[in-house]
Amino acid sequence: DYSRSAVRERQVRELVSFLEQRKRPTIITGDFNVDWSRNKGKVLRQLLDKGYQTINTNVENQITFPGHQTKLDWTLVSPELTIKREQILDEKVSDHFAIVSTITKKDQNP
């Protein structure tokens, strides 16, 4: 829900509850409608607190939503994985720019 943080927080709690039942590596990606600089990414932190990881939380000059000149789109991975690289494409595929992430298992070389 892009307009109500309480709804976003509930949605992430539901997602975390679902993910806790999975017993395999997980990649979560998409439009979270969360800017890291607001409330220090409070909604994303619920996933980070469960061991999920992201990169590029220093969002200066990282724009995925040009309408507000901010980053709202994220890739997160479960602890068995690591994000080696993330690139924001400067082509709009919707009202957002696309993100391409290079992800590997932690025990693999790139």
Side-chain angles (χ1 to χ4, degrees), residues 2 5 11 17 32 34 37 39 50-51 56 59-60 62-64 68-69 78 80 84 90 92 94 98 100 102 105 107:
Y2 72 92
S5 61
Q11 290 170 331
S17 176
F32 282 76
V34 174
S37 62
N39 299 320
K50 296 293 182 179
N56 296 333
V59 295
E60 287 183 34
Q62 293 184 34
I63 297 168
T64 63
H68 290 163
Q69 295 294 300
S78 58
E80 308 85 0
K84 294 289 187 181
D90 59 358
K92 285 189 0 178
S94 66
V100 176
T102 303
K105 283 188 168 182
D107 58 354

Side-chain angles (χ1 to χ4, degrees), residues 48-105:
L48 298 177
D49 290 346
K50 296 293 182 179
Y52 284 81
Q53 303 160 36
T54 190
I55 62 172
N56 296 333
T57 56
N58 180 4
V59 295
E60 287 183 34
N61 301 320
Q62 293 184 34
I63 297 168
T64 63
F65 184 59
H68 290 163
Q69 295 294 300
T70 191
K71 182 176 182 178
L72 300 179
D73 304 83
W74 298 90
T75 300
L76 295 103
V77 297
S78 58
E80 308 85 0
L81 303 172
T82 189
I83 303 171
K84 294 289 187 181
R85 183 171 175 255
E86 181 179 85
Q87 178 183 3
I88 299 170
L89 303 182
D90 59 358
E91 292 181 25
K92 285 189 0 178
V93 294
S94 66
D95 57 338
H96 295 248
F97 293 134
I99 296 176
V100 176
S101 299
T102 303
I103 299 168
T104 63
K105 283 188 168 182

